[in-house]
Amino acid sequence: MTRTRSARRTAGRALLASTLLAAAVAVPVAVPAATAAPREASAGATVRDETSTRESRLVDDFYSAYVDAVAAEDGGDLATALRGFYLTPGLRARLADWEAAHHADGVLLAQDVPVEHRVTPGHSGAGHTWSTVRLTWGSPEDPAYTYLTVRSDLATGKISAIRDGE
């Protein structure tokens, strides 16, 4: 089979784009010490046990990478790419509206960046599964917590809703 130059170029570009997206999702972002407190390796440990689901692990992966990206000084492009990969188009549109009205980050439902997160798998039904995301704010000596309820689609694994968990 003979390939034309443009077919090779298109295939090469597609491979490059998929490799860059995979690298952006898989490689943690270096966070300057002045912008974020270091997180312990066990921050997402609850989601790795036998009761965790593929979707709750994806929620944990997303929040791990997303928090690092928004904490980084130049992580805006990575945060946008992560939203594009992990969130449904409908959720991205709803988040844009919410963020315009509240002047805050719709994924975190906050203006600041948490120092840690923990994902706990929840129940499933009607083609969706729910996870609880606990965001930790403040210092280790005086932590404060907020909770988010995150819905994922079972068919795609994509996050389709984020709401205040309280």
Side-chain angles (χ1 to χ4, degrees), residues 101-117:
H102 294 89
H103 307 288
D105 188 304
V107 169
L108 303 171
L109 298 182
Q111 292 179 336
D112 295 325
V113 180
V115 295
E116 187 176 274
H117 79 283

Side-chain angles (χ1 to χ4, degrees), residues 5-112:
R5 175 179 274 179
S6 64
R8 273 185 276 168
R9 210 178 274 150
T10 302
R13 287 181 183 158
L15 179 61
L16 177 63
S18 64
T19 302
L20 288 174
L21 183 56
V25 172
V27 176
V29 174
V31 179
T35 60
R39 295 186 297 145
E40 292 186 24
S42 64
T46 51
V47 82
R48 301 289 179 201
D49 64 16
E50 298 97 34
T51 62
S52 67
T53 63
R54 175 180 72 95
E55 291 77 15
S56 62
R57 286 189 302 272
L58 287 172
V59 170
D60 184 53
D61 292 343
F62 169 67
Y63 272 90
S64 293
Y66 189 79
V67 167
D68 287 345
V70 295
E73 191 172 306
D74 58 351
D77 291 339
L78 177 57
T80 301
L82 289 167
R83 283 179 175 221
F85 183 77
Y86 282 98
L87 308 181
T88 62
L91 177 57
R92 290 193 308 268
R94 289 191 303 277
L95 288 178
D97 292 343
W98 187 92
E99 290 169 342
H102 294 89
H103 307 288
D105 188 304
V107 169
L108 303 171
L109 298 182
Q111 292 179 336
D112 295 325

Side-chain angles (χ1 to χ4, degrees), residues 100-152:
H102 294 89
H103 307 288
D105 188 304
V107 169
L108 303 171
L109 298 182
Q111 292 179 336
D112 295 325
V113 180
V115 295
E116 187 176 274
H117 79 283
R118 178 171 294 182
V119 175
T120 306
H123 61 283
S124 298
H128 305 288
T129 189
W130 286 261
S131 300
T132 300
V133 177
R134 183 183 80 177
L135 302 175
T136 305
W137 309 90
S139 67
E141 298 81 29
D142 188 27
Y145 305 105
T146 58
Y147 295 87
L148 306 175
T149 301
V150 177
R151 183 181 71 194
S152 301

